[in-house]
Amino acid sequence: MIVAVLAILLAIRGHVAGSLQTILWDSTAFPEDGLAVDVNLNDALTIKCPRVDESEAHKAQYSEIYFVPKQGYDECRTDISDARLLLECNEPYEETSYVLLIQGYSPIPNDLLFQRGHEYYFISVGGGSCEHNHTKLKVKVCCGTPSPPSNHKPTDKEEEEKTENSKETGNKDQQSSYSPTSSSPVSVSCGLLLLVSQILIGCLV
């Protein structure tokens, strides 16, 4: 039963995902300023450890890949708050990877979540280090303007735009109140994810 639920959960998550990208975490191939990729919500980004044949043991690479805040990215540090180990590249003769879902919602506790208009950072330490091999990755989530800090005071122009947007939203809500109820594929998928996760938790309990 648990296996079946997991299969359904993975299938739904795969359906929600948009485009796919793959990053080969090869410490010999990173540019001096690191890598940068643009993604959209519901994309999937696969980070792969470099694999070598046993006959080329001298080319084996060992590293640990972390999700870090911007300070960790800028200073090549993982010993700071909010740094999280994602992937250990410690089996160079095997296929090892981590699939990063660019999602704004997840039923899985402590899963990574993303917002439009924000940037997210990843670095590695070990044999191929951020400091010496520039092994770091910046993921930019399109599109939109990042949310202002909590102490940000809106300008007169921002207040006017906010008022206009509120009026437009109110008009749209009135127009749509007479329309049949409908859900987008992503909304339906997220609902299914939540339902399946609850079933899975029930099975485990």
Side-chain angles (χ1 to χ4, degrees):
M1 177 64 180
I2 295 177
V3 174
V5 173
L6 284 173
I8 294 173
L9 181 60
L10 291 173
I12 294 173
R13 292 187 71 166
H15 175 71
V16 174
S19 63
L20 306 175
Q21 297 188 56
T22 299
I23 300 292
L24 178 61
W25 205 272
D26 183 350
S27 63
T28 66
F30 277 73
E32 187 172 347
D33 54 351
L35 293 175
V37 297
D38 295 321
V39 298
N40 294 292
L41 284 180
N42 300 321
D43 284 356
L45 184 64
T46 300
I47 300 176
K48 295 183 65 175
C49 298
R51 180 181 178 276
V52 298
D53 294 327
E54 293 186 20
S55 59
E56 299 178 311
H58 62 285
K59 296 182 180 180
Q61 299 183 33
Y62 301 87
S63 62
E64 296 177 345
I65 302 173
Y66 285 80
F67 169 78
V68 294
K70 191 174 188 304
Q71 180 186 0
Y73 176 86
D74 291 337
E75 301 176 5
C76 289
R77 293 176 53 195
T78 60
D79 59 337
I80 55 178
S81 177
D82 297 328
R84 184 189 303 190
L85 176 64
L86 288 187
L87 177 62
E88 292 183 277
C89 295
N90 55 12
E91 298 181 356
Y93 311 123
E94 304 292 337
E95 292 285 352
T96 308
S97 62
Y98 181 91
V99 179
L100 183 67
L101 297 178
I102 311 301
Q103 56 193 350
Y105 163 82
S106 173
I108 301 175
N110 301 318
D111 210 358
L112 291 180
L113 300 179
F114 300 82
Q115 298 181 49
R116 289 188 177 92
H118 289 250
E119 295 181 345
Y120 300 87
Y121 308 95
F122 304 83
I123 68 172
S124 71
V125 295
S129 69
C130 169
E131 185 175 3
H132 300 291
N133 299 89
H134 317 294
T135 51
K136 55 185 182 178
L137 170 67
K138 180 188 300 182
V139 175
K140 304 176 183 178
V141 182
C142 180
C143 294
T145 303
S147 302
S150 58
N151 60 353
H152 171 71
K153 182 178 181 180
T155 62
D156 293 338
K157 183 177 180 181
E158 289 175 338
E159 288 288 359
E160 291 176 3
E161 291 178 350
K162 183 177 180 180
T163 302
E164 290 297 325
N165 290 335
S166 298
K167 291 180 179 178
E168 292 178 2
T169 301
N171 292 334
K172 289 181 180 178
D173 288 342
Q174 291 178 1
Q175 294 173 1
S176 62
S177 62
Y178 300 101
S179 302
T181 303
S182 62
S183 300
S184 68
V186 173
S187 298
V188 173
S189 298
C190 287
L192 288 174
L193 279 171
L194 179 59
L195 176 60
V196 173
S197 64
Q198 290 173 343
I199 295 173
L200 179 57
I201 292 172
C203 293
L204 292 176
V205 173

